[in-house]
């Protein structure tokens, strides 16, 4: 049984690498709710009003995905539940959640994480793959993917939000100690367009998996 989770900022390449890895390893991929997520556009149009609702929505969906992942033998999830707090606290620090909402959320998350903590080895992931991208690359990829509500042209204030999010991810990854981890340089490896880079990235991940099996 092996559960792999991806992490990284918006547009880092998590879904792309999840698909590649699932094909390579012959395992099932579970994707974050985006296309079917009717709260996400609301959040981008009015973050002050919808930050808390979006966070609860994602937490619920992620917990459902984790349950689904644990029901099968091998799975890859395109974003870890461990990043939720980073995203929510950034929004809270920007004044998009009040103190009570922060307390309720933190309590709910820690309750849920108790079920999937490292003391329960059956339910912690086997590997976290973090894709690190520079801020410039992050903006380039968000632009390349072209979801309208995420574009700086649609909302120039997203520039500061993205910049702060990208910065906070570095410390988040450094502190992460729930399971074995590996960082992939998403600036260096164009694993979407370049087959040589894709091969190299898959090799790095397989080497890491061999050290933990
Ligand atoms: N290493 C890469 N090289 C070139 N293009 C990439 C790379 N990674 C991702 N991309 C492109 O960048 C865009 C964003 O990638 P993707 O949707 O996989 O990101 P994500 O991390 O899943 O984002 P989100 O969390 O916001 O859903 C896509 O257009 C994808 O083709
Ligand atoms: N606020 C907030 N909290 C989350 O937990 C969270 N998880 C994902 N997202 C946003 C980022 C991308 O736009 C899009 C796809 O990743 O959804 C989030 N936004």
């Amino acid at each position: 049984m092996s559960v792999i989770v991806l992490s990284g900022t918006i547009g880092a390449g998590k879904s792309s690498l999840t698909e590649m890895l699932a094909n390579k390893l012959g395992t099932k991929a579970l994707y974050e709710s985006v296309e079917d997520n009717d709260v996400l556009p609301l959040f981008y149009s009015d973050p002050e009003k919808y930050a808390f609702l979006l966070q609860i929505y994602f937490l619920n969906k992620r917990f459902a995905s984790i349950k689904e992942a644990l029901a099968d033998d091998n799975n890859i999830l395109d974003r870890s539940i461990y990043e939720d707090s980073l995203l929510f606290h950034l929004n809270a620090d920007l004044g998009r959640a009040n103190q009570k909402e922060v307390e309720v959320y933190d309590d709910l998350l820690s309750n849920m994480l108790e079920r999937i903590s490292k003391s329960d080895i059956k339910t912690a992931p086997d590997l976290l793959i973090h894709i690190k991208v520079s801020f410039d690359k992050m903006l380039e990829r968000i632009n390349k993917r072209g979801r309208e509500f995420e574009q700086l042209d649609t909302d120039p204030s997203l520039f500061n939000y993205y910049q702060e999010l990208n910065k906070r991810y570095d410390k988040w990854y450094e502190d992460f100690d729930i399971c074995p981890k590996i960082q992939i340089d998403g600036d260096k490896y164009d694993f979407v367009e370049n087959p040589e880079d894709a091969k190299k990235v898959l090799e790095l991940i397989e080497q890491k998996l061999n050290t933990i099996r």
Side-chain angles (χ1 to χ4, degrees), residues 78-97:
D78 85 334
R79 184 179 239 130
S80 77
I81 194 169
Y82 308 111
E83 291 154 86
D84 282 39
S85 181
L86 164 68
L87 280 143
F88 183 54
H89 277 267
L90 168 58
N91 279 283
D93 291 347
L94 293 170
R96 297 165 175 179

Side-chain angles (χ1 to χ4, degrees), residues 10 14 32-34 37 40 43-44 51 54-55 58 62 79 83-85 87-88 91 105 145 147 149-150 161-162:
I10 301 170
K14 299 179 297 298
E32 177 172 68
S33 160
V34 176
N37 182 337
L40 196 56
F43 165 75
Y44 278 96
L54 179 67
Q55 216 55 53
F58 268 123
R62 267 199 248 289
R79 184 179 239 130
E83 291 154 86
D84 282 39
S85 181
L87 280 143
F88 183 54
N91 279 283
Y105 180 79
R145 186 180 47 208
R147 276 185 208 134
F149 51 75
E150 291 175 347
Y161 180 64
Y162 291 160

Side-chain angles (χ1 to χ4, degrees), residues 6-18 20 31-32 34 40 44 78-79 83 131 133 137-138 140-147 150 169 184-194 197 201:
L6 275 285
S7 72
T9 189
I10 301 170
K14 299 179 297 298
S15 306
S16 311
L17 187 53
T18 295
M20 266 174 53
Y31 294 99
E32 177 172 68
V34 176
L40 196 56
Y44 278 96
D78 85 334
R79 184 179 239 130
E83 291 154 86
I131 307 174
V133 287
K137 194 56 88 179
M138 174 183 177
E140 189 186 310
R141 300 259 164 88
I142 290 171
N143 183 264
K144 180 182 175 198
R145 186 180 47 208
R147 276 185 208 134
E150 291 175 347
Y169 256 103
I184 299 295
D185 185 337
D187 282 22
K188 181 171 167 193
Y189 296 115
D190 177 350
F191 51 76
V192 171
E193 314 264 354
N194 181 333
D197 283 1
V201 167

Side-chain angles (χ1 to χ4, degrees), residues 42-115:
L42 293 177
F43 165 75
Y44 278 96
S45 69
D46 190 347
E48 274 74 20
K49 187 166 174 190
Y50 292 107
F52 185 70
L53 176 63
L54 179 67
Q55 216 55 53
I56 298 295
Y57 177 96
F58 268 123
L59 189 54
N60 187 34
K61 290 280 179 191
R62 267 199 248 289
F63 205 66
S65 293
I66 291 169
K67 280 201 302 186
E68 196 181 334
L70 293 170
D72 276 334
D73 274 353
N74 296 296
N75 281 287
I76 306 180
L77 285 87
D78 85 334
R79 184 179 239 130
S80 77
I81 194 169
Y82 308 111
E83 291 154 86
D84 282 39
S85 181
L86 164 68
L87 280 143
F88 183 54
H89 277 267
L90 168 58
N91 279 283
D93 291 347
L94 293 170
R96 297 165 175 179
N98 64 41
Q99 192 49 42
K100 199 70 214 167
E101 286 171 328
V102 172
E103 274 170 41
V104 168
Y105 180 79
D106 285 350
D107 207 26
L108 176 62
L109 181 63
S110 93
N111 241 334
M112 288 178 156
L113 287 178
E114 256 176 44
R115 282 293 301 124

Side-chain angles (χ1 to χ4, degrees), residues 25-41:
L25 302 174
T27 56
K28 186 167 148 194
L30 295 163
Y31 294 99
E32 177 172 68
S33 160
V34 176
E35 303 310 326
D36 62 337
N37 182 337
D38 49 3
V39 184
L40 196 56

